[in-house]
Amino acid sequence: MAKPTIQSIPLAILGLGSLLLLAAKRQEIAALRAPLSTLPTVLVGRSSVDVAISPEEQEIAGMTSYVTRVFGDAPGDFSVYVGYYNAQNQGRSIHSPKNCLPGAGWEPVAVSTQ
């Protein structure tokens, strides 16, 4: 049996790292627990109106499901967008709001998985 050389160690580490990267790219598709339409239609005493996103925009964004609601009809109105992606792939879906919103000057008020 040939004795391993010092040059074979980096090659073995590179091969193992490549295999780990391939395994890490796999992800399970997660279905919604409930339709997004079940989200509240009244927040802080303001009723809402749903806003549709065009089929072209939906195709570009690649979301599985979404809801966009505008709450209130006076100064201080606000809107909420919730987009759901059952799987996200690098370069094939919209980037994370956790990175995008702060970069645009917004500050998240809360983050939750519930």
Side-chain angles (χ1 to χ4, degrees):
M1 180 178 230
K3 186 176 176 183
T5 64
I6 193 77
Q7 291 87 2
S8 64
I9 293 173
L11 183 61
I13 292 172
L14 180 63
L16 180 60
S18 297
L19 290 174
L20 288 172
L21 281 174
L22 287 173
K25 288 230 174 229
R26 294 186 201 133
Q27 62 177 282
E28 295 179 23
I29 293 177
L32 279 170
R33 292 182 185 177
L36 293 178
S37 61
T38 62
L39 293 172
T41 57
V42 176
L43 289 176
V44 293
R46 294 185 173 137
S47 58
S48 66
V49 175
D50 285 355
V51 177
I53 295 176
S54 74
E56 294 82 16
E57 291 172 315
Q58 289 179 45
E59 185 177 340
I60 291 168
M63 70 280 243
T64 306
S65 182
Y66 79 95
V67 65
T68 303
R69 292 195 171 131
V70 177
F71 290 84
D73 55 1
D77 292 353
F78 61 95
S79 62
V80 174
Y81 164 78
V82 178
Y84 179 77
Y85 301 81
N86 63 6
Q88 291 191 31
N89 298 312
Q90 184 77 20
R92 291 178 28 199
S93 61
I94 301 299
H95 51 275
S96 170
K98 289 182 181 179
N99 300 321
C100 177
L101 293 176
W106 291 88
E107 184 176 331
V109 175
V111 177
S112 174
T113 57
Q114 296 178 349

